[in-house]
Amino acid sequence: MKAPKEINTYCPRCKVYTAHSVTLYKKGKERKMAQGTRRYNRKKKGYGSSRKPVQKRTAKTTKKLSLKLKCKKCGYMNQRKGIRLKKLEIG
C-alpha cells in the first residue's frame, strides 16, 4: 500500500483540520529493568522447559502497521489505527 507523506486530518490539540506528516510507528527499545521483563526472566530461569510453549505455526501472514501522524502546526503526535499490510510505502 502507498501512503502520502502528508495528510490533512483533524488535530485534537488545535481542534481544526491541519496538515500532518506521516511516518511508520516503530516500537521503542525495551527496558531491561521493567517489572514484566524481570518477572519473565525469573520464570524462564532454571533447568528444563521454557515458560511458555513454543508456537509451531503462525495463523497470520501479515502484521498490523500503525501510522504516526505529527501535526505541522503544533507538533502534536497522534496515531492512526493499525491495518494489516504486507508492505507500506510512504511517499
Side-chain angles (χ1 to χ4, degrees), residues 33-66:
M33 291 305 290
Q35 179 60 54
T37 313
R38 285 181 290 158
R39 187 183 295 119
Y40 182 76
N41 289 338
R42 191 171 63 244
K43 280 195 161 184
K44 203 169 64 168
K45 196 175 175 182
Y47 178 80
S49 65
S50 62
R51 183 171 112 84
K52 289 178 178 176
V54 178
Q55 195 175 6
K56 295 283 191 288
R57 57 191 163 268
T58 56
K60 306 279 188 286
T61 57
T62 56
K63 295 251 187 260
K64 277 190 175 183
L65 300 176
S66 298

Side-chain angles (χ1 to χ4, degrees), residues 5-23 67-80:
K5 280 184 182 176
E6 209 171 275
I7 292 176
N8 199 43
T9 189
Y10 183 77
C11 176
R13 192 186 276 175
C14 300
K15 295 182 178 161
V16 286
Y17 275 72
T18 55
H20 286 68
S21 60
V22 179
T23 51
L67 294 178
K68 195 164 69 172
L69 307 172
K70 186 178 180 181
C71 180
K72 294 249 180 172
K73 197 175 175 184
C74 66
Y76 184 79
M77 293 266 200
N78 211 352
Q79 269 189 34
R80 191 147 288 180

